[in-house]
């Protein structure tokens, strides 16, 4: 009888311990603390059965972003400059458009959304701290493999030199599909 009570007590304690287990903690951020970066690469956008592609150069600073989109032959398609107050987009025809919101500005002028607020984190292999995470998957090296945030689904297809900075990613939002291939990184790390 005493042995039965002991087994019952051990079983209850094991059950309580299992119920009290905390959910798994997400792996730590493994991307370096980047203050500013420059990347060069290519972007391909598909929306409503139509595709667009461009070469891209992006300069990011803590308080501003500048993005240049080029045709395959090197002519400028558009330039985008954004800071906390305003975003300005200049087309190849030298037409200038302004808005307080980059995503709506690119939608209105280019025909597709550029989620710059989240992308400046995602492109570094990080989560946007200003938006709730809907889903996240990690690879075996504790890097983000797939992320759903702010309605966007981001798949990280590869990392530069098998390190912590993405080299290839696919973003999806409703009918929009955007593929970003990063050919070259130049980063400035925060001083610790």
């Amino acid at each position: 009888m005493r042995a039965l009570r002991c087994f019952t007590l051990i079983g209850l304690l094991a059950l309580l311990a299992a119920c009290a287990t905390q959910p798994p903690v997400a792996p730590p951020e493994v991307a370096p603390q980047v203050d500013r970066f420059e990347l060069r690469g290519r972007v391909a956008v598909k929306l409503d059965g139509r595709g667009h592609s461009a070469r891209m150069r992006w300069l990011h600073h803590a308080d501003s972003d500048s993005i240049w989109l080029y045709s395959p032959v090197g002519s400028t398609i558009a330039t985008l400059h954004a800071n906390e107050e305003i975003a300005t987009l200049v087309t190849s025809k030298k037409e200038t458009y302004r808005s307080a919101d980059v995503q709506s500005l690119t939608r209105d002028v280019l025909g597709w959304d550029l989620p710059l607020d989240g992308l400046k984190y995602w492109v570094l292999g990080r989560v946007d701290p200003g938006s709730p995470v809907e889903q996240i998957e990690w690879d075996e090296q504790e890097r983000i493999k797939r992320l759903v945030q702010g309605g966007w689904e981001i798949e990280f297809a590869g990392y530069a030199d098998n390190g912590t900075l993405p080299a290839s990613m696919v973003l999806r939002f409703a009918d929009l599909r955007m593929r970003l291939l990063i050919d070259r990184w130049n980063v400035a790390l925060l001083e610790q």
Side-chain angles (χ1 to χ4, degrees):
M1 186 71 160
R2 184 177 177 129
L4 181 61
R5 277 191 275 173
C6 187
F7 283 121
T8 303
L9 181 60
I10 290 173
L12 286 173
L13 288 175
L15 182 62
L16 285 173
C19 292
T21 302
Q22 295 183 1
V25 175
E29 299 247 8
V30 293
Q33 293 293 320
V34 175
D35 181 31
R36 57 190 179 274
F37 63 78
E38 175 185 15
L39 67 80
R40 292 176 188 256
R42 294 159 282 157
V43 62
V45 177
K46 187 172 183 180
L47 178 65
D48 298 330
R50 295 181 10 205
H52 309 278
S53 62
R55 289 186 307 116
M56 180 173 92
R57 179 179 177 219
W58 179 3
L59 290 175
H60 170 77
H61 295 270
D63 58 354
S64 66
D65 289 277
S66 295
I67 298 175
W68 294 265
L69 297 175
Y70 302 100
S71 73
V73 295
S75 59
T76 302
I77 297 170
T79 59
L80 173 70
H81 302 286
N83 59 35
E84 294 175 2
E85 298 168 9
I86 193 163
T88 304
L89 192 145
V90 180
T91 68
S92 60
K93 297 177 182 177
K94 305 297 182 207
E95 299 167 322
T96 302
Y97 300 89
R98 290 181 178 80
S99 175
D101 175 31
V102 171
Q103 193 163 329
S104 63
L105 177 64
T106 56
R107 181 183 322 119
D108 294 343
V109 179
L110 300 176
W112 47 275
D113 295 51
L114 180 67
L116 190 62
D117 289 342
L119 191 59
K120 63 187 172 188
Y121 296 100
W122 303 333
V123 77
L124 294 170
R126 297 171 166 243
V127 169
D128 175 359
S131 177
V133 173
E134 297 158 45
Q135 291 180 8
I136 192 165
E137 294 175 21
W138 304 92
D139 70 9
E140 59 280 348
Q141 295 178 7
E142 297 186 340
R143 301 173 302 196
I144 299 175
K145 180 179 178 180
R146 183 178 168 275
L147 172 67
V148 179
Q149 190 172 28
W152 286 86
E153 177 185 359
I154 305 99
E155 291 182 30
F156 296 84
Y159 282 81
D161 299 322
N162 205 25
T164 59
L165 294 171
S168 176
M169 54 198 300
V170 176
L171 295 89
R172 291 181 183 87
F173 184 84
D175 294 336
L176 173 68
R177 181 181 188 272
M178 182 185 315
R179 182 175 177 95
L180 181 59
L181 299 171
I182 302 164
D183 298 320
R184 189 169 49 178
W185 276 104
N186 184 9
V187 297
L189 302 179
L190 286 172
E191 293 182 16
Q192 299 297 329

